Amino acid sequence: MRKWFKRISPEREALLANRWLRPVAHRLTHPVIWHFNRRNVARGIALGLFVGFVLPIGQIVVAALLAASARGNLLVAALATLVTNPFTFPPIYYAAFRVGNLLLGSSGGTGAIPVAASDAPTSMLGLVMGASLPTIAGLLLFATVSATVGFGVVHLTWRLSLARQWRSRLLLREADCQSPNET
């Protein structure tokens, strides 16, 4: 996966040449935010997941700017925001609304609301405003939990992968030492 990320990463010169990125190009070309090490990838995942849940639009730009300032991997942060996309958006927001209702201890419009014809615009606004607070609370909980879990999973997976590589190297070295030398 690391090789795939490196292959799709833009070149430094391409970033410097882009006229839209010129004002912030000095920040985007810093080598630390493009390295694929455990700490940078974990920061990128955490930032991307958090921003992906909290912001409905402009996620990739905000995640990239946060990753650049927090020294997280910029590409990973941008890709992690895709956890919320047009296919996952409705179920995530519905689940956030339900979880937010549980957190706030309100029913949040689960029953039918009788609306008079003359009160339709004000009652619709009240319905939207009543649903937004539980949804925001649920999204903040989802963002915090997913960022924390993502950060931990990256660190754990990276360590387990390194341990497996070291174990295979050790076994290979032991096999080389025990095999008879043919000369």
Side-chain angles (χ1 to χ4, degrees):
M1 188 164 196
R2 185 178 181 174
K3 290 178 184 177
W4 179 76
F5 275 125
K6 283 189 174 188
R7 190 181 53 191
I8 66 170
S9 297
E11 296 292 325
R12 179 183 172 126
E13 291 77 25
L15 287 174
L16 290 172
N18 189 326
R19 70 181 183 120
W20 296 103
L21 295 177
R22 199 168 293 141
V24 292
H26 65 283
R27 290 196 182 271
L28 296 179
T29 57
H30 198 280
V32 172
I33 63 174
W34 296 100
H35 280 238
F36 288 93
N37 60 33
R38 185 184 64 208
R39 287 179 202 90
N40 291 1
V41 171
R43 282 185 206 135
I45 286 284
L47 288 168
L49 288 174
F50 188 84
V51 170
F53 280 108
V54 171
L55 295 177
I57 53 175
Q59 304 164 331
I60 293 176
V61 173
V62 172
L65 292 174
L66 286 175
S69 64
R71 307 289 182 176
N73 188 292
L74 191 132
L75 184 62
V76 171
L79 288 176
T81 62
L82 298 178
V83 70
T84 54
N85 57 55
F87 299 112
T88 62
F89 182 82
I92 286 174
Y93 272 61
Y94 179 72
F97 172 72
R98 300 293 290 194
V99 168
N101 277 334
L102 288 174
L103 286 174
L104 298 175
S106 64
S107 63
T110 56
I113 300 173
V115 176
S118 63
D119 294 336
T122 57
S123 62
M124 185 60 85
L125 180 63
L127 183 63
V128 169
M129 294 305 287
S132 63
L133 184 62
T135 305
I136 290 170
L139 286 173
L140 284 174
L141 178 70
F142 288 177
T144 305
V145 169
S146 68
T148 305
V149 168
F151 188 83
V153 165
V154 168
H155 275 285
L156 181 66
T157 305
W158 204 287
R159 283 198 175 236
L160 291 175
S161 174
L162 284 177
R164 186 182 50 188
Q165 287 175 2
W166 280 101
R167 203 172 19 254
S168 67
R169 286 179 191 169
L170 182 65
L171 290 174
L172 190 62
R173 189 177 303 149
E174 287 176 359
D176 285 344
C177 290
Q178 291 177 358
S179 66
N181 291 337
E182 297 178 18
T183 57

